[in-house]
Amino acid sequence: MSIILDGKATSNQIKEELAEQVLALKAQGKRPPHLAAVLVGNDGASLTYVGSKVRSCQKIGFESTLIQLEDNITQAELLATIEKLNNDTSLDGFIVQLPLPKHIDEEVVIDAIHPDKDVDGFHPTNFGKMALGMKTFIPATPFGIMELLKRYKLDISGKHAVVIGRSHIVGRPMSILLSNKGNPGNATVTLTHSRTQNLADITKEADIVVSALGVPNFLTADMVKDGAIIIDVGITRVTDANHPKGYVIVGDVHYDQVKEKASYITPVPGGVGPMTIAMLLQNTMLAYTRNAS
Ligand code: GUN
């Protein structure tokens, strides 16, 4: 039996800490931090995530602005919106929700965001700083996982961490953060991906597995070592007519099997997902603090 890494409770705690900081700022007559989110199109999952980010801002006293753009907006129009946000002094940071429609080049869009306002930590300048272990905005999902490990006091120094998936948003930065100097950190990391051979042989050797693949129930008990720490980043919508929403959210980890073998495990939902939002808010507070000083 494993101990659940409760991302929901931990994220609520972080949000309470931030809410207290906002109250202190307001008591000093200062404005609250301000986050904007740009959403292009009507993708159901993206709408849910962005809605949740905006609601969380409101809950802790941050100001928030949601900018919704049509699916058929041109790249030039989106870049013009980003330029406006870069120059808006009432804003501390903003995000452009990914994925973007196929006709828009994500690399060009991310490159257009001013690094000082890039609270997602996706801009090459911030990504580079993160890789060098410098203070900067860290992509919210891997940042949330590191924070969860920290708050549960899990020591991963010298341990073998296996990351599944090499996306720019999760897998790649995760592999860097786990291996960076620090606590948590100092792990020996294997980054696996779609071309990896004999994946199960590698995961079976892992003291910690971070799965960011997007394949429901992919990681089964036979792929996991006894006592491993299991972090599930998967949030795939699976059709389920019995559910009022018509779907359920399923992680990469076969939870019922793997929880019997793991020492610690994140549930889906209620694990990594809520931590992502809390760390975006944390990054926004960092942007605010930099602006104010
Ligand atoms: N799409 C999935 N995760 C994220 C995220 O953390 N930030 C943005 N901007 N888009 C995402």
Side-chain angles (χ1 to χ4, degrees), residues 264-277:
Y264 293 86
I265 189 166
T266 59
V268 175
V272 174
M275 290 302 292
T276 298
I277 295 178

Side-chain angles (χ1 to χ4, degrees), residues 53 96-98 120 122:
K53 289 170 184 179
V96 178
Q97 187 67 23
L98 304 178
D120 258 330
F122 293 169

